[in-house]
Amino acid sequence: MTEPQHASPAAGGGDLRYDPAADEPRWVDAWNASGALRADPSSGKPAYSIAIPPPNVTGALHIGHALNNSIQDVLIRHHRMAGYETLWICGTDHAGIATQAQVEKALAREGRSRHEIGREAFVARAWEWRDEYGGTIIGQLRRLGATLDFSRERFTLDEGYARAVQHTFVDLYEKGHVYRDHYMVNWDPGLGSAISDLEVEDREVTDALVQIAYPLADGSGELIVATVRPETMLGDTAVAVHPDDDRYRHLVGKTCILPLVGRELPIVADDYVKPEFGTGCLKITPAHDPNDFDLARRHNLPAISVIGEDGRIVAAMGERYAGLTPEACSERVQADLAQAGLQRGSEPYTHTVPFSHRSGQRVEPLISLQWFCDMKRLAAPAIAAVEDGAVTFTPSHWAGVYVRWMQEIRPWCLSRQLWWGHQLPVWYRGEEVYVGVDAPDGEGWDRDPDVLDTWFSSGLWPFATLGWPEQTAELERFYPTNVLSTARDIIFLWVARMVMLGIEYMGAPPFADVYIHSVIQAADGRRMSKSLGTGVDPLELIDEHGADALRFGLLLMSSQQDVRFSAEKIRQGRQLVTKIWNATRLVIARGGTAGAPAPVVPETVADRWMASRVTEAIDTAADLIARYEFSRLTDVIYHLVFDEFCDWYLELLKHDEATAAVAGDLLEQILALVHPVMPFVTEACWEQLPGSSGLMLVHAPPRRPSARDGHAEAMVGALQEAVTVVRAWRSRHGLSPKTTLTVALDDLDLGRLAPAFAGLANVAIDDVGEGAQVLAVGAGQIRIVAPVGQVDVGAERARLVAERDRVDKELARAEAMLANDRFVSRAPAALVAAEREKVERFAAERQILEEQIGVLGT
């Protein structure tokens, strides 16, 4: 193993702070070189596997990546140390839209476009870009400490994976699920392609809500329609009203005239219409609204396109409107309506509008000839998998969200008008269509230029990465995986599709658990965003505090809901790193070692207490990991290391109340417990601990269930309370910790820990005589005397009087509850008993306070 780049803690003394920047890189290399990250499908160990949500090949590590991969690494390290054969599937996604955009920007800087160089040259440039920049995020995950199986790194466009994608498309086509049709899609005019829901972001926009009169064809009146998109009225093919709306029921079946165009439109009744919105009359534009599109299909209405794929009004709308942007067309239509006397009003209306996350342009719902997959049959078993418990969600409410979406699932638009990605395995020759993994025989075939939606290929990730459709040893051993940790925004786009395709092709869901981790917002509650200036760079945090501190802080601030970023929690992690490092130095300096051939039996009260606390923490941590409660896990670790082991046990070790052999054994267990969360510093400490061998990465110290000791915990608990009470009293009176106080113990049995109490509290245990102040400690008390003239008697008396007044109020409240016959007769017996206990406790406290006030006089 590489020699450490710092002084050994065994040397003692001096400024030997742990330096993450100097130490962490060598452990990344050591873990990879050890072979422990490479899964062996032939081992006899139980299998545990996770498939990483593949980061985009264009990506750089952000806070979301850092949190999610810290979570996954905790799970992998914990199970690896527990004796499982672990596989953390590694790889990246080709990110069709994002990568193409990067390459197009590079070409633009050269004064060229993809159309000028042609598809073949463009794809070659994209591969060059991937080779140069695509490994960035994998390297950043290494810096975070992620122990992925880097030897099996996959890419969603590598040869074997591409073959699996082509095979799936062809198979779904042959089963009748994949088809070509004119259907509504999210169209990005800036990108010139259909895009998925994930590439769409809603923005709040204020438009004019325009009221337009549609004259009835029989001349008997008019319908007034309210719309925020008057330009699309040119493509209206009906007006709809609610069937139960008494205002319009008599008009259903009649017709009205489309203003400016003169087309006669049917008036139809449909439950989709909201009578309370606007006038209760809805213009139906099937070509530019997904709800109108569905309504039109129900009523057999035609669809007339107004806006083209270039984002402008199509020529069929006539010279007056053709070529205009939608915004310009809206203004012209409103002017023409006003001139025709058919505009009935206008008012500002704020609503959400879809925009492309990629190009920034407004998304246009368009009817486009695309390839689709009918999801209904695929969805049914995927719904059942969640409802039957084969797949569980944490937090559980996301299961209901998943099921409701799946029940209303729409056809999936598979094709994208891009060049970078999996080109459709589809060829055309005249009216002939050929779909196959290999090109068709014969002349005259032209391949469809479109590529598949990126989410189609990533939907195969949990099994295509293991070699499917080949029946590999890895596939047999590690599918299905155990858990998927991901964010809520891709439950539908990715999680649901993996479940559907996993069941379809593997006969089982791809994972048993889905953990939806929290979203970390900026400190002010806004979303993290570079453009908003609210982003936090995790790599800068690693540079400043180290990867251990970042991992710990993110896990500590995470929960099952959205949380705000806390730099303080990262600093808390850094403090814990220092504490662990210094604790190791102290244990080694005292003679502690690791690797004892047999369990070290704790004999002193302090040893038995700490062994009991470590055992409980290990048991609790295992339970919290199993329930994905990572914030509570880090809290348990922090409290054990910082408060119990360092602040109390090591102090007892200094006072010879604990033994070095047990301290070394306990430190070994603590390092193993902490390692999945903070792997770097624990490896460094483990390396320095005499008797250690190998890497902490694969170390599994024996559990000590018999180490639980209630008596020792009670004894040390009494010691802690006594020391804390004396220290608080000393602080309250401004007395130096170096000032020795004289105390007497009444009904307070500290047994063999009495000398430790004297040392930790800096007191002399002796007869104090009359006039001592009394401090309550559990069922006993400490009578304390301070050096003459060093206590402000007046201030102390005022404090005691205020405390007595507070106790009086609590006592009166509890007595009033017990004086209420209705409460005593109807409340649960436990509540009544609790109030009686309060009366006894507060009465005893009041008596002690009165005695203390009396001692101080007036």
Side-chain angles (χ1 to χ4, degrees):
M1 187 186 300
T2 306
E3 287 300 314
Q5 305 299 310
H6 46 70
S8 165
D15 182 15
L16 296 174
R17 289 176 58 83
Y18 177 71
D19 183 1
D23 192 63
E24 289 180 349
R26 71 191 184 98
W27 294 115
V28 172
D29 296 336
W31 294 329
N32 200 47
S34 72
L37 311 192
R38 180 169 177 79
D40 178 7
S42 65
S43 78
K45 302 176 184 178
Y48 185 88
S49 59
I50 299 175
I52 188 176
N56 286 351
V57 71
T58 58
L61 193 72
H62 57 60
I63 284 292
H65 288 136
L67 170 61
N68 193 16
N69 285 282
S70 295
I71 287 168
Q72 294 171 77
D73 196 51
V74 167
L75 294 169
I76 284 291
R77 286 180 184 268
H78 173 77
H79 285 88
R80 183 187 291 120
M81 295 173 74
Y84 286 78
E85 189 65 45
T86 57
L87 170 61
W88 188 4
I89 298 169
C90 174
T92 53
D93 191 278
H94 66 278
I97 294 176
T99 304
Q100 178 152 326
Q102 291 291 339
V103 178
E104 291 205 61
K105 285 179 184 177
L107 287 172
R109 289 193 291 269
E110 301 169 7
R112 297 191 292 171
S113 72
R114 65 180 169 115
H115 297 288
E116 290 173 359
I117 68 172
R119 183 174 192 139
E120 186 175 342
F122 179 83
V123 171
R125 282 289 296 266
W127 276 105
E128 290 173 7
W129 189 94
R130 184 260 178 182
D131 292 341
E132 184 172 357
Y133 300 106
T136 299
I137 196 165
I138 296 298
Q140 292 168 344
L141 288 173
R142 289 177 187 263
R143 284 196 66 190
L144 184 67
T147 49
L148 293 139
D149 187 343
F150 298 106
S151 70
R152 287 189 170 90
E153 182 179 340
R154 299 300 302 271
F155 179 52
T156 53
L157 270 180
D158 67 37
E159 184 177 354
Y161 201 104
R163 196 78 175 173
V165 172
Q166 304 285 325
H167 172 87
T168 304
F169 182 92
V170 172
D171 181 71
L172 291 173
Y173 174 79
E174 291 174 347
K175 290 175 178 175
H177 303 317
V178 167
Y179 59 94
R180 197 182 191 209
D181 193 9
H182 289 90
Y183 202 82
M184 183 69 64
V185 298
N186 297 317
W187 187 264
D188 180 353
L191 193 63
S193 175
I195 58 176
S196 71
D197 291 340
L198 188 66
E199 278 83 41
V200 177
E201 60 182 22
D202 288 334
R203 300 181 192 170
E204 201 168 78
V205 172
T206 299
D207 286 322
L209 183 63
V210 181
Q211 293 189 347
I212 306 170
Y214 285 54
L216 295 173
D218 62 7
S220 61
E222 64 185 24
L223 289 176
I224 298 177
V225 170
T227 180
V228 292
R229 300 206 70 184
E231 70 277 12
T232 64
M233 66 167 286
L234 303 172
D236 287 359
T237 57
V239 171
V241 298
H242 194 277
D244 298 332
D245 194 332
D246 292 336
R247 295 172 295 175
Y248 308 114
R249 186 181 297 170
H250 65 288
L251 297 177
V252 175
K254 293 187 176 184
T255 59
C256 59
I257 303 301
L258 178 62
L260 306 183
V261 178
R263 188 163 55 246
E264 196 167 339
L265 308 179
I267 301 171
V268 300
D270 197 280
D271 290 334
Y272 169 73
V273 180
K274 297 177 176 61
E276 69 279 4
F277 179 77
T279 63
C281 297
L282 183 68
K283 61 185 283 299
I284 304 303
T285 316
H288 297 291
D289 183 281
N291 297 307
D292 290 5
F293 179 82
D294 290 341
L295 188 150
R297 290 207 163 185
R298 290 195 294 272
H299 293 274
N300 250 351
L301 301 173
I304 299 172
S305 293
V306 176
I307 303 169
E309 293 182 351
D310 61 356
R312 293 181 176 270
I313 306 303
V314 298
M317 294 300 103
E319 290 184 7
R320 181 158 178 77
Y321 306 114
L324 295 176
T325 64
E327 295 78 13
C329 186
S330 175
E331 294 178 4
R332 184 165 292 183
V333 165
Q334 290 181 66
D336 292 347
L337 288 169
Q339 186 175 2
L342 294 173
Q343 185 165 324
R344 295 292 180 262
S346 177
E347 62 185 50
Y349 179 70
T350 301
H351 62 131
T352 57
V353 172
F355 283 80
S356 170
H357 176 67
R358 299 297 180 183
S359 71
Q361 291 198 23
R362 182 169 179 159
V363 170
E364 292 292 349
L366 298 182
I367 296 175
S368 180
L369 181 59
Q370 303 280 352
W371 284 89
F372 295 89
C373 183
D374 184 357
M375 306 304 294
K376 289 294 185 183
R377 190 192 66 78
L378 295 174
I383 292 171
V386 171
E387 291 180 332
D388 297 345
V391 175
T392 61
F393 278 80
T394 303
S396 59
H397 72 270
W398 289 113
V401 175
Y402 165 98
V403 168
R404 286 190 294 275
W405 182 81
M406 293 283 275
Q407 290 170 339
E408 301 297 325
I409 197 166
R410 291 172 173 267
W412 178 7
C413 178
L414 300 179
S415 45
R416 297 289 182 269
Q417 289 62 58
L418 305 171
W419 286 357
W420 173 248
H422 296 275
Q423 190 172 355
L424 296 177
V426 178
W427 286 261
Y428 307 102
R429 185 168 62 182
E431 296 298 316
E432 291 182 85
V433 178
Y434 172 85
V435 177
V437 173
D438 300 310
D441 296 329
E443 301 290 331
W445 290 100
D446 294 316
R447 189 169 185 177
D448 194 310
D450 291 352
V451 300
L452 283 163
D453 177 14
T454 297
W455 296 102
F456 185 84
S457 54
S458 58
L460 310 178
W461 185 252
F463 50 97
T465 50
L466 298 175
W468 183 88
E470 302 300 322
Q471 296 304 305
T472 65
E474 289 82 1
L475 188 65
E476 181 179 354
R477 188 73 193 285
F478 296 110
Y479 186 94
T481 63
N482 293 78
V483 61
L484 172 73
S485 176
T486 188
R488 64 170 182 261
D489 58 353
I490 54 175
I491 291 176
F492 313 135
L493 291 163
W494 191 47
V495 178
R497 287 163 178 171
M498 283 192 289
V499 175
M500 288 186 279
L501 293 171
I503 293 173
E504 178 72 11
Y505 290 104
M506 295 298 299
F511 28 71
D513 294 340
V514 179
Y515 174 61
I516 305 298
H517 63 71
S518 56
V519 173
I520 298 182
Q521 301 168 333
D524 61 6
R526 291 184 292 169
R527 68 182 179 89
M528 283 203 177
S529 165
K530 286 185 179 179
S531 61
L532 293 176
T534 56
V536 176
D537 186 349
L539 297 174
E540 291 181 0
L541 293 172
I542 291 176
D543 290 339
E544 183 178 359
H545 299 290
D548 282 335
L550 175 65
R551 290 164 63 112
F552 178 89
L554 292 177
L555 292 168
L556 182 61
M557 70 182 78
S558 72
S559 68
Q560 295 184 355
Q561 58 187 356
D562 292 354
V563 294
R564 297 187 178 191
F565 176 78
S566 169
E568 178 56 35
K569 287 184 168 60
I570 308 295
R571 288 190 288 271
Q572 193 173 340
R574 183 67 181 93
Q575 292 165 0
L576 185 58
V577 167
T578 301
K579 205 74 169 178
I580 293 171
W581 178 252
N582 290 338
T584 301
R585 292 180 60 208
L586 176 60
V587 170
I588 294 173
R590 290 273 167 172
T593 63
V600 180
V601 179
E603 296 182 356
T604 72
V605 173
D607 286 338
R608 289 176 10 236
W609 166 73
M610 195 66 236
S612 183
R613 301 307 301 141
V614 169
T615 297
E616 181 178 348
I618 290 173
D619 291 342
T620 301
D623 180 60
L624 293 173
I625 289 173
R627 291 190 279 120
Y628 310 113
E629 295 189 29
F630 299 102
S631 181
R632 288 185 59 197
L633 169 68
T634 47
D635 187 63
V636 165
I637 287 172
Y638 187 88
H639 178 66
L640 175 73
V641 174
F642 218 101
D643 299 339
E644 297 180 323
F645 189 73
C646 293
D647 287 358
W648 288 102
Y649 180 71
L650 293 185
E651 291 303 309
L652 291 168
L653 180 64
K654 292 177 185 177
H655 287 83
D656 297 323
E657 295 297 330
T659 59
V662 174
D665 186 60
L666 293 175
L667 177 62
E668 177 180 351
Q669 295 180 60
I670 289 172
L671 292 177
L673 168 65
V674 178
H675 178 77
V677 174
M678 307 179 92
F680 293 101
V681 70
T682 49
E683 284 284 14
C685 291
W686 174 245
E687 176 188 56
Q688 301 296 344
L689 194 58
S692 66
S693 61
L695 289 165
M696 177 60 64
L697 178 76
V698 292
H699 184 61
R703 300 282 290 276
R704 312 266 200 262
S706 60
R708 296 301 301 272
D709 191 321
H711 176 70
E713 292 204 28
M715 291 293 293
V716 174
L719 168 70
Q720 291 173 315
E721 186 178 3
V723 172
T724 301
V725 165
V726 172
R727 287 175 176 174
W729 188 89
R730 183 194 298 275
S731 175
R732 190 163 59 245
H733 293 295
L735 298 176
S736 167
K738 296 180 180 179
T739 301
T740 302
L741 306 174
T742 302
V743 304
L745 307 180
D746 296 342
D747 299 322
L748 183 61
D749 181 15
L750 296 178
R752 294 181 180 178
L753 295 176
F757 165 68
L760 292 171
N762 191 13
V763 298
I765 303 174
D766 202 350
D767 183 17
V768 296
E770 299 297 325
Q773 291 193 47
V774 179
L775 306 179
V777 180
Q781 59 186 25
I782 297 173
R783 288 183 292 120
I784 188 166
V785 174
V788 177
Q790 294 195 25
V791 173
D792 186 338
V793 175
E796 178 63 4
R797 188 181 190 285
R799 187 193 69 82
L800 292 172
V801 168
E803 178 64 10
R804 182 198 60 192
D805 292 344
R806 184 193 69 81
V807 170
D808 281 345
K809 290 179 182 178
E810 293 292 340
L811 179 59
R813 190 202 64 79
E815 288 176 336
M817 292 288 288
L818 293 175
N820 185 333
D821 292 337
R822 189 171 183 179
F823 170 75
V824 173
S825 61
R826 296 188 179 185
L831 286 181
V832 176
E835 291 301 319
R836 290 197 174 108
E837 185 274 332
K838 288 178 184 177
V839 167
E840 294 176 2
R841 175 160 49 87
F842 289 133
E845 287 184 20
R846 191 184 193 287
Q847 182 178 349
I848 293 173
L849 289 167
E850 285 287 10
E851 292 173 0
Q852 292 176 341
I853 293 169
V855 167
L856 294 176
T858 59

